[in-house]
Amino acid sequence: MDSSSGQSEFEYLFKLLMIGDSGVGKSSLLLCFTSDTFEDLSPTIGVDFKVKYVEVGGKKLKLAIWDTAGQERFRTLTSSYYRGAQGIIMVYDVTRRETFTNLSDIWAKEIDLYSTNQDCIKMLVGNKVDKESERVVTKKEGINFAREYGCLFTECSAKTRVNVQQCFEELVLKILDTPSLIAEGSKGVKKNIFKQKPQADVSTSGCC
Amino acid sequence: MASTSKVGSSGDEESEEEEELEHFDDFTLASSWERFISEVEAVCRQWLADGPKNLLDKGAVHLGSSKNMYKVKSELKYLLKSYGMEYYFEVNKSGKVTDWDSIFHDLQLCFGVKEFLVIAPQSASGVVLDAPEASKLLSAIAIALSNCSSLWPAFVPVHDPSRNAYIGIQNLGTVFTRRFEADRICSQVPVKLMHLEGLYELFVSKFAYSTLDISMHIFKVRFTMKLTYQTLPYDDDDIREVDAENIESSEDRGGDSNNKTQWDDDCPWSEWYSAEDPVKGFGLIAIWSEKMVESSLEMAELENSSPHDAEKWILLPNISDGSKGNRIGFASQLCLLVDALDMSFEAQFMEDFVSVENPSSDNLKSMVIPSPTVLDRVLKDLLLQGVKIPDFSKGEHKSSRYIKGAPLECLFAQFCLHSIWFGNCNIRAIAALWVEFVREIRWYWEESQSLPKMPSNGSIDLSTCLIYQKLQMLAICIEKKRELNEDFQDCVGSNDQSPAAIKEDVRVVEGSTGLQTPDDNFDRKRDSLLTAEGLHESGTAMPRHNGKPENTGSTDQKPSECIRIMPDQKPSECIRRGSSGAVGSMMLLKSRQSMHAPFTQESPLMTEDMHEERLRAIEAFGGSFDFSAQLERDILSSDMSAFKAANPDAVFEDFIRWHSPGDWENDENEGSSPSGNLSVDGLKDNWPPRGRLSQRMSEHGNLWRKIWNNAPALPASEQKPLLDPNREGEKILHYLETLRPNQLLEQMVCTAFRASADTLNQASFGALKQMTMKIDQLYLTIASTLRPLQANIANSETIEDLRRLCVVFEHVEKLLTLAASLHRKFLHAPCLSEAIFSDYYNYYLPKMGMGSSEEVDVQKEFEMKLQVRNHERQVISNMFTPPTANQSWRKVLSMGNLLNGHEPILREIIFSMNDHVNGSHYATHTPSVHQKEIETYRMYMCGTSNDLRVALSVTSFD
């Protein structure tokens, strides 16, 4: 592979998408994962986005994580964000039942509609477990839902950072287990016409 | 046999008897000639009576070759043969017969007549092959014409059609008759007749009775000559250099096509294609008008004279229409691009077009993607970084901006231009190029390399297409990212509120900024005493808000005031940070220190879609005042932080007075005056200024105040940047990678039209007004036709409109090619190029379907004759470049009057001899009838050294 400078060295580029109702804490989760902070954020307008470089399973990865707006008003513009996503994180608030039911009523349908890759890994995340006293959605319900839709499941809290890192890591490991997703991830890897080695396949270099 | 009808009734069985009877009726046969004469006479009388005007009404046929010539035709029978008699006449009878300028019918020129009759048999050859028949026919007509006392000359074609031979006769009143004869030698012209001398002698021999040596006598004859020259066709051989190279190149002719110079090599379009020169060459007519010649010696001299001595030069541009066959140019490629746009709705993503497995239709299967080597070459060409950023205003027309495209020299416009010439511009080829192109863009992004051909500064021009805006934004992000990498190489992530310490192998690249790089020197100055000098030097970053810059100047001009203010500052100046100078004489409400404007962050750049997104958000949230503050939260918070840092003792009201003076209502209408002219003493007297916040600012729970309360005092240089280059850059790549084919193609169509027009617009064509006008029109037409595309409402109707637009474009492109070609050929005689272009424009306009609605004969060739003025002759002469050795070898020169070594392709001469009737032997017989001079002999000669045509007319007394 090309010699590349410090920070931007990576083998795969994966796109992850976060969906779920407004206020379930998608942006907080993302912020917590990428910068380890928790802020009371204002609602996301349109789509927000973070990049994080991680090393998982011995592979250097670049994660592009898309945080969509939960408001229905912005629903229309998010369809293109499903394009090329290797992982989709469905977030609900364990203290608000409607955010959980909406996942099956609205969000799961959107995935079926817009996702371009059958193998795409889905993950169900119940957020705000720090408010245990206000919990209305049980862990059991979450597990059942995950089983039905064939996705990973975890509960976490952006505020206390419980399980946040593990949640993303789990998802990425699962993606790395899926050859078709690995192939997609290596496609996005950079290439330069002036420094090209004669048709060396980029994906092979990542298998060491 | 019609005459036998009378006796035919006698019965079938009497057939033998019939023969006898027919013989008996012989008188009908004998009078058939007379009847033919009277028939001719009747027709002629009718034509005479009608006159040209009525004949026109009766459907006279216009002769295309000459302007005012018309003819009428009548069929006649004589014996078993039928003849056609045609009367040729001019509607506008004026001008002399020997006037070369106007276009003549061949016979007019040959015999010096105006209107005339032609009688020819209705046969395949159209000529009378039998000599007795011809003279019989001619005398019949002569009798008929004299019967109706018409003076029309009449001609009969004779011999072989290729000889173009005629005999003719004309009654000139009762006394004179003119006889005509014309013939032609198609080959083996005698050497004597190749030269003017011999031709003169041929003419003289017609009236010199003796066969004595003609040169011994003096015969004054009138002479005029017209020579036609033709430039050599501009083919490859001519352009090649002469000399020894020629011999070499003849061997490897196939290989050296690259060295070939094209006429349009320095034209702006030559980067993309080479146009055929519409100017095929020039004809030149040189005319020697009436001269009296006395001897063959004089003629010999005349043959040595240069065409420059001729009285008149007339230029005949040979301009090809180019309408035959498919012309390759921007227009043809744009049309293909429109086809691609039409196809683009068939798939969701560009990759879908590239993949071979699932072409959704047969149409797609037939489309070929050029080989990877071609793709690589095009990409390299496209991404090759020039030494400096190109001039983006290059080629820009005043209306370019109305087309939502991109500047010609920029990366995206170049991508579009490369695409339309890539493969045959089918959607699959475009898709392949685009996918690779985006992959390359990602490389520049990941490696933090500057994007080629893109400006990495300035503001986002929202009149350009979105892709261009995005690429510019990306270029800016890359630039910022680079600064960031250089400055914060060692402390990645440290600018976030809490350090990134999740995992050792996890690095977060998020948030840190490089907006205003704090250098040590600057920091020290900022924190030290504020001297006038320090203020000056620190004014590097432009604050977004006004009020500051003139003030730094004023402190300089009024040192006394400066000194008086400075003691006030002392208590807090050690903690004042990020100030760009005091704001006039404004004071802080609470602490009574002078208010300082902070350096602020530039407001984040936004592309069109970001603006729209914000707009939608405002609409969605009901457009409340608080919500717009919410949208501006980052910016507000940043400004407040900077303000707090610069004015540690400031209160919210102070910020409002500086940031939004409209929201501070003054009771005394002073204090807020930013001019700074109020004396400090005056202010002191009125302190504190009485005023209050506006209604909306003082409402309970005002968001501004909330933000103010939460904003930390931080100078701009230490704040998080408003524009996060990492985030925005990645978003842009996502946009490029997931762009819908139709959205890409729509922008490509707009940009390609604009870039093509801008390219053509760079062509120099001098001051051709019509061309400038057409280009102006083209831009406006493009802009209005493309408008539906910009609004994303492309439908089949739009596609049709776009196809029509391509046709319009093609017309303008063709005209422009001509204009450029003419301009370069007539650099030193712009009047000529203007005249030619103007004529061609008027000829071409109806073909464009934009002029008058009536359908004009589109088949008509362009013809024009243009008189050349004396000072322009040299320019024309230079076009007749001396023939190369190769060319002169092909031809043996045998005529004189060479123009730069070119011999005339046609020489036409008219000799004529006039006689005073009363001075001649004719006069004795008709003393009073004809007292004027008449043309007794006239000879027209036309041809070259191996093709000579001679027409003679002789007036005689019968």
Side-chain angles (χ1 to χ4, degrees):
Chain A
M1 190 181 265
D2 299 342
S3 65
S4 46
S5 63
Q7 56 138 359
S8 55
E9 195 178 340
F10 60 89
E11 294 164 49
Y12 300 106
L13 168 66
F14 292 128
K15 279 187 187 173
L16 310 180
L17 182 69
M18 300 179 78
I19 54 174
D21 276 10
S22 187
V24 295
K26 296 183 293 296
S27 302
S28 301
L29 269 179
L30 182 54
L31 196 68
C32 175
F33 173 60
T34 53
S35 65
D36 255 2
T37 59
F38 176 80
E39 272 179 50
D40 218 353
L41 293 163
S42 47
T44 308
I45 297 165
V47 68
D48 199 1
F49 166 87
K50 294 268 189 293
V51 170
K52 182 159 172 145
Y53 293 88
V54 292
E55 192 171 322
V56 175
K59 303 270 196 301
K60 287 183 172 168
L61 309 176
K62 175 175 179 175
L63 300 182
I65 309 164
W66 296 86
D67 173 16
T68 60
Q71 297 89 355
E72 281 186 28
R73 303 175 173 99
F74 294 110
R75 201 68 53 77
T76 48
L77 68 100
T78 53
S79 68
S80 90
Y81 293 96
Y82 287 90
R83 160 77 174 169
Q86 283 83 34
I88 298 175
I89 302 169
M90 297 183 278
V91 188
Y92 67 94
D93 180 350
V94 292
T95 66
R96 285 159 61 208
R97 175 155 296 278
E98 76 274 15
T99 66
F100 182 69
T101 49
N102 276 345
L103 283 181
S104 53
D105 292 349
I106 299 167
W107 297 103
K109 282 177 189 143
E110 272 205 7
I111 296 175
D112 292 341
L113 201 59
Y114 298 124
S115 180
T116 55
N117 192 327
Q118 299 294 318
D119 300 331
C120 163
I121 310 296
K122 285 160 279 184
M123 173 176 253
L124 181 67
V125 176
N127 192 21
K128 305 194 183 174
V129 287
D130 51 291
K131 299 180 180 173
E132 193 55 50
S133 56
E134 297 169 42
R135 181 198 274 270
V136 291
V137 184
T138 63
K139 192 164 184 171
K140 183 93 171 97
E141 284 174 289
I143 291 169
N144 287 340
F145 180 94
R147 186 175 293 133
E148 190 186 335
Y149 284 90
C151 39
L152 301 166
F153 174 70
T154 190
E155 284 187 337
C156 66
S157 162
K159 198 167 185 177
T160 61
R161 288 181 221 158
V162 167
N163 255 346
V164 175
Q165 294 302 322
Q166 292 84 336
C167 146
F168 283 92
E169 203 175 316
E170 190 74 9
L171 180 61
V172 171
L173 279 170
K174 194 80 185 167
I175 291 171
L176 284 170
D177 276 348
T178 316
S180 71
L181 296 179
I182 289 188
E184 276 187 20
S186 57
K187 246 201 317 198
V189 171
K190 67 233 170 166
K191 177 181 164 189
N192 180 250
I193 191 93
F194 298 108
K195 295 177 183 165
Q196 221 166 45
K197 286 167 196 160
Q199 296 299 318
D201 193 0
V202 225
S203 59
T204 54
S205 59
C207 300
C208 45
Chain B
M1 303 292 158
S3 57
T4 62
S5 59
K6 267 198 270 181
V7 288
S9 58
S10 50
D12 288 338
E13 64 272 26
E14 293 171 316
S15 59
E16 287 127 50
E17 221 178 322
E18 249 181 85
E19 302 242 334
E20 296 286 308
L21 283 171
E22 193 185 323
H23 199 73
F24 180 74
D25 278 341
D26 205 33
F27 76 93
T28 53
L29 207 66
S31 68
S32 69
W33 193 57
E34 283 162 3
R35 281 198 281 125
F36 179 65
I37 290 173
S38 68
E39 211 178 325
V40 171
E41 194 183 319
V43 173
C44 288
R45 277 184 194 280
Q46 184 59 49
W47 284 344
L48 274 169
D50 280 339
K53 247 198 177 140
N54 285 334
L55 288 177
L56 280 187
D57 294 340
K58 286 183 179 176
V61 183
H62 179 247
L63 296 179
S65 58
S66 43
K67 270 179 195 156
N68 300 315
M69 269 319 256
Y70 290 86
K71 71 171 180 184
V72 282
K73 187 171 180 176
S74 175
E75 281 185 29
L76 303 166
K77 267 208 151 60
Y78 174 48
L79 294 182
L80 295 177
K81 283 190 171 174
S82 63
Y83 295 91
M85 182 164 75
E86 288 170 323
Y87 169 49
Y88 291 80
F89 62 97
E90 275 180 54
V91 173
N92 189 8
K93 290 184 202 173
S94 62
K96 278 159 64 189
V97 172
T98 49
D99 191 2
W100 296 107
D101 293 1
S102 49
I103 302 158
F104 278 117
H105 187 270
D106 183 47
L107 287 172
Q108 287 180 304
L109 198 58
C110 282
F111 299 116
V113 296
K114 279 185 205 161
E115 45 188 357
F116 57 90
L117 290 175
V118 174
I119 302 207
Q122 304 274 63
S123 62
S125 68
V127 294
V128 183
L129 297 168
D130 179 15
E133 185 195 348
S135 47
K136 203 171 175 185
L137 200 57
L138 203 58
S139 45
I141 293 159
I143 291 166
L145 286 174
S146 87
N147 282 350
C148 50
S149 48
S150 161
L151 300 183
W152 291 342
F155 302 103
V156 174
V158 290
H159 301 308
D160 190 61
S162 69
R163 278 165 68 177
N164 217 350
Y166 284 91
I167 55 169
I169 195 159
Q170 181 182 22
N171 293 316
L172 289 175
T174 48
V175 195
F176 302 113
T177 307
R178 219 158 30 141
R179 287 174 194 283
F180 305 98
E181 200 176 343
D183 209 341
R184 176 174 170 213
I185 312 170
C186 298
S187 58
Q188 304 288 319
V189 176
V191 178
K192 196 167 127 64
L193 295 183
M194 286 183 186
H195 299 285
L196 291 181
E197 207 177 334
L199 295 171
Y200 168 77
E201 284 166 10
L202 176 68
F203 178 60
V204 171
S205 71
K206 295 296 170 187
F207 51 85
Y209 293 108
S210 65
T211 49
L212 286 173
D213 187 2
I214 295 164
S215 60
M216 296 298 288
H217 292 77
I218 286 178
F219 295 99
K220 274 195 166 185
V221 301
R222 225 187 274 249
F223 161 84
T224 109
M225 177 162 75
K226 172 183 169 191
L227 299 180
T228 308
Y229 299 87
Q230 184 73 50
T231 54
L232 292 160
Y234 300 117
D235 61 28
D236 301 348
D237 289 359
D238 302 338
I239 294 162
R240 262 170 233 285
E241 284 309 300
V242 213
D243 307 329
E245 265 183 47
N246 231 355
I247 305 151
E248 271 182 75
S249 69
S250 61
E251 283 175 15
D252 56 349
R253 186 147 296 189
D256 68 346
S257 57
N258 290 339
N259 310 337
K260 212 161 67 184
T261 45
Q262 301 286 348
W263 74 276
D264 58 353
D265 267 352
D266 56 346
C267 287
W269 59 78
S270 64
E271 190 187 340
W272 306 104
Y273 69 95
S274 177
E276 197 185 326
D277 191 346
V279 181
K280 294 294 165 210
F282 290 95
L284 175 68
I285 294 172
I287 292 173
W288 280 260
S289 48
E290 305 246 330
K291 246 183 176 11
M292 290 305 284
V293 181
E294 291 181 350
S295 67
S296 29
L297 202 66
E298 215 175 313
M299 293 304 292
E301 272 171 33
L302 202 64
E303 189 160 355
N304 285 328
S305 71
S306 140
H308 284 278
D309 299 335
E311 274 80 14
K312 218 180 224 181
W313 275 28
I314 291 164
L315 189 66
L316 306 163
N318 176 11
I319 294 170
S320 87
D321 197 325
S323 52
K324 294 138 205 139
N326 286 336
R327 185 188 188 279
I328 296 293
F330 283 121
S332 63
Q333 303 310 107
L334 286 171
C335 197
L336 294 173
L337 187 63
V338 171
D339 291 344
L341 170 66
D342 201 15
M343 298 282 295
S344 71
F345 295 90
E346 286 184 18
Q348 256 200 313
F349 298 102
M350 287 314 276
E351 283 87 348
D352 301 347
F353 287 111
V354 183
S355 54
V356 208
E357 309 95 63
N358 53 347
S360 52
S361 71
D362 292 341
N363 238 350
L364 279 174
K365 264 178 214 157
S366 63
M367 292 177 176
V368 182
I369 301 173
S371 71
T373 32
V374 180
L375 185 74
D376 272 20
R377 186 173 47 72
V378 170
L379 267 184
K380 277 179 183 157
D381 203 15
L382 179 58
L383 296 169
L384 198 65
Q385 176 71 288
V387 183
K388 57 179 171 109
I389 296 279
D391 174 17
F392 285 103
S393 60
K394 191 178 159 197
E396 201 161 275
H397 184 270
K398 61 177 191 290
S399 305
S400 289
R401 288 177 53 83
Y402 298 136
I403 305 167
K404 203 169 168 58
L408 174 60
E409 296 294 316
C410 82
L411 189 56
F412 184 58
Q414 292 296 308
F415 170 81
C416 292
L417 289 182
H418 272 102
S419 305
I420 64 173
W421 298 97
F422 182 61
N424 53 356
C425 189
N426 65 60
I427 184 79
R428 297 193 64 213
I430 293 171
L433 188 60
W434 174 255
V435 169
E436 288 305 310
F437 175 70
V438 171
R439 226 170 261 184
E440 292 292 332
I441 297 293
R442 184 170 273 287
W443 181 86
Y444 284 96
W445 166 243
E446 303 289 359
E447 296 291 318
S448 303
Q449 298 292 318
S450 300
L451 270 190
K453 298 171 190 169
M454 286 304 294
S456 55
N457 50 25
S459 56
I460 306 284
D461 182 354
L462 298 181
S463 74
T464 57
C465 66
L466 188 55
I467 293 175
Y468 176 74
Q469 294 178 32
K470 294 270 185 193
L471 286 174
Q472 192 190 348
M473 182 87 144
L474 183 65
I476 293 168
C477 287
I478 289 174
E479 230 36 55
K480 294 207 187 297
K481 197 171 127 187
R482 278 165 68 130
E483 288 168 15
L484 211 136
N485 286 349
E486 284 160 18
D487 296 335
F488 297 93
Q489 201 93 54
D490 305 323
C491 49
V492 181
S494 66
N495 263 39
D496 282 322
Q497 263 92 339
S498 62
I502 323 135
K503 258 186 186 176
E504 283 198 354
D505 56 359
V506 170
R507 277 173 292 125
V508 176
V509 184
E510 213 336 74
S512 49
T513 164
L515 261 192
Q516 276 141 24
T517 325
D519 66 321
D520 292 342
N521 192 24
F522 180 70
D523 271 357
R524 198 178 58 241
K525 261 183 197 149
R526 206 172 44 194
D527 293 337
S528 68
L529 264 173
L530 277 168
T531 61
E533 189 197 348
L535 275 174
H536 264 302
E537 285 186 17
S538 62
T540 45
M542 275 296 288
R544 207 166 49 248
H545 300 289
N546 50 9
K548 171 230 72 168
E550 75 264 35
N551 195 60
T552 48
S554 75
T555 50
D556 206 17
Q557 284 157 6
K558 299 171 192 168
S560 59
E561 194 182 56
C562 193
I563 289 160
R564 286 175 66 180
I565 294 169
M566 271 159 56
D568 288 345
Q569 293 172 329
K570 269 223 159 113
S572 58
E573 71 206 5
C574 49
I575 47 162
R576 209 188 266 289
R577 292 190 301 157
S579 162
S580 69
V583 186
S585 55
M586 277 173 83
M587 301 282 202
L588 297 180
L589 293 172
K590 291 279 156 63
S591 64
R592 227 179 150 176
Q593 291 171 7
S594 64
M595 182 191 288
H596 280 231
F599 286 106
T600 52
Q601 290 199 46
E602 294 165 48
S603 45
L605 294 172
M606 285 201 287
T607 52
E608 193 179 2
D609 57 332
M610 292 162 82
H611 282 289
E612 277 167 12
E613 198 173 276
R614 291 169 74 90
L615 267 178
R616 275 201 303 270
I618 289 172
E619 277 167 21
F621 288 96
S624 71
F625 175 64
D626 264 9
F627 186 71
S628 64
Q630 174 77 56
L631 279 177
E632 305 288 336
R633 182 180 201 135
D634 293 346
I635 302 170
L636 266 180
S637 173
S638 155
D639 285 356
M640 287 170 175
S641 290
F643 189 80
K644 276 182 175 178
N647 303 286
D649 298 319
V651 292
F652 179 58
E653 284 78 4
D654 290 322
F655 177 76
I656 294 299
R657 282 164 69 216
W658 168 67
H659 192 281
S660 177
D663 282 310
W664 174 256
E665 288 159 8
N666 246 330
D667 290 347
E668 289 105 312
N669 207 19
E670 54 194 307
S672 68
S673 161
S675 63
N677 286 336
L678 278 172
S679 76
V680 180
D681 294 329
L683 262 175
K684 269 177 180 164
D685 294 338
N686 296 327
W687 200 259
R690 271 180 288 164
R692 61 187 116 67
L693 288 174
S694 66
Q695 174 73 24
R696 58 177 190 174
M697 281 299 172
S698 47
E699 269 170 10
H700 179 71
N702 172 276
L703 193 60
W704 283 50
R705 193 181 281 279
K706 271 192 198 161
I707 299 171
W708 172 263
N709 292 339
N710 292 330
L714 264 183
S717 55
E718 289 170 28
Q719 291 174 10
K720 250 175 88 168
L722 288 174
L723 176 83
D724 178 349
N726 282 300
R727 201 174 89 160
E728 292 306 325
E730 199 68 44
K731 270 189 183 176
I732 288 160
L733 275 158
H734 174 81
Y735 169 82
L736 298 176
E737 282 163 356
T738 58
L739 189 58
R740 299 279 156 152
N742 66 305
Q743 286 173 348
L744 171 63
L745 264 295
E746 278 158 11
Q747 297 185 53
M748 281 180 70
V749 166
C750 292
T751 306
F753 265 105
R754 175 177 159 174
S756 304
D758 283 349
T759 304
L760 293 182
N761 187 39
Q762 287 177 52
S764 47
F765 52 80
L768 302 177
K769 268 189 245 88
Q770 295 100 326
M771 195 67 241
T772 315
M773 190 188 79
K774 266 279 158 259
I775 290 182
D776 291 353
Q777 279 178 6
L778 177 68
Y779 271 100
L780 296 180
T781 313
I782 293 175
S784 65
T785 314
L786 294 181
R787 210 154 286 142
L789 273 192
Q790 290 157 20
N792 285 323
I793 40 172
N795 49 32
S796 60
E797 206 176 295
T798 320
I799 299 285
E800 281 316 302
D801 283 346
L802 288 173
R803 295 217 166 94
R804 276 190 287 275
L805 182 62
C806 292
V807 176
V808 173
F809 198 101
E810 184 174 6
H811 287 311
V812 178
E813 195 175 10
K814 263 191 210 169
L815 276 178
L816 188 89
T817 318
L818 175 66
S821 173
L822 286 174
H823 175 64
R824 62 183 42 235
K825 291 183 174 66
F826 293 102
L827 269 182
H828 301 292
C831 286
L832 289 178
S833 60
E834 277 164 39
I836 296 171
F837 185 77
S838 178
D839 249 43
Y840 188 83
Y841 180 79
N842 292 330
Y843 153 83
Y844 191 72
L845 204 58
K847 295 189 169 193
M848 296 172 79
M850 290 189 249
S852 53
S853 55
E854 79 224 46
E855 207 39 55
V856 188
D857 183 10
V858 284
Q859 297 303 319
K860 213 177 98 188
E861 288 283 316
F862 173 71
E863 270 176 14
M864 89 171 283
K865 290 184 173 179
L866 182 66
Q867 184 147 358
V868 179
R869 286 171 297 176
N870 278 338
H871 64 275
E872 293 162 338
R873 285 193 181 186
Q874 197 50 48
V875 176
I876 308 294
S877 171
N878 291 343
M879 286 178 188
F880 289 82
T881 47
T884 58
N886 209 5
Q887 289 159 350
S888 38
W889 172 81
R890 284 184 206 152
K891 209 173 187 183
V892 180
L893 297 177
S894 49
M895 285 196 277
N897 305 110
L898 299 184
L899 173 60
N900 298 342
H902 293 258
E903 75 174 357
I905 56 158
L906 185 68
R907 174 166 63 194
E908 290 164 274
I909 299 167
I910 296 170
F911 287 112
S912 65
M913 173 85 167
N914 286 15
D915 262 332
H916 273 289
V917 177
N918 56 357
S920 74
H921 57 281
Y922 304 123
T924 51
H925 302 277
T926 55
S928 58
V929 182
H930 294 282
Q931 290 298 322
K932 58 176 182 181
E933 198 180 62
I934 59 162
E935 195 176 62
T936 50
Y937 288 87
R938 182 184 187 278
M939 189 183 260
Y940 167 79
M941 285 176 264
C942 155
T944 57
S945 52
N946 47 17
D947 178 5
L948 183 68
R949 198 166 157 227
V950 179
L952 177 70
S953 51
V954 179
T955 310
S956 64
F957 170 74
D958 284 333

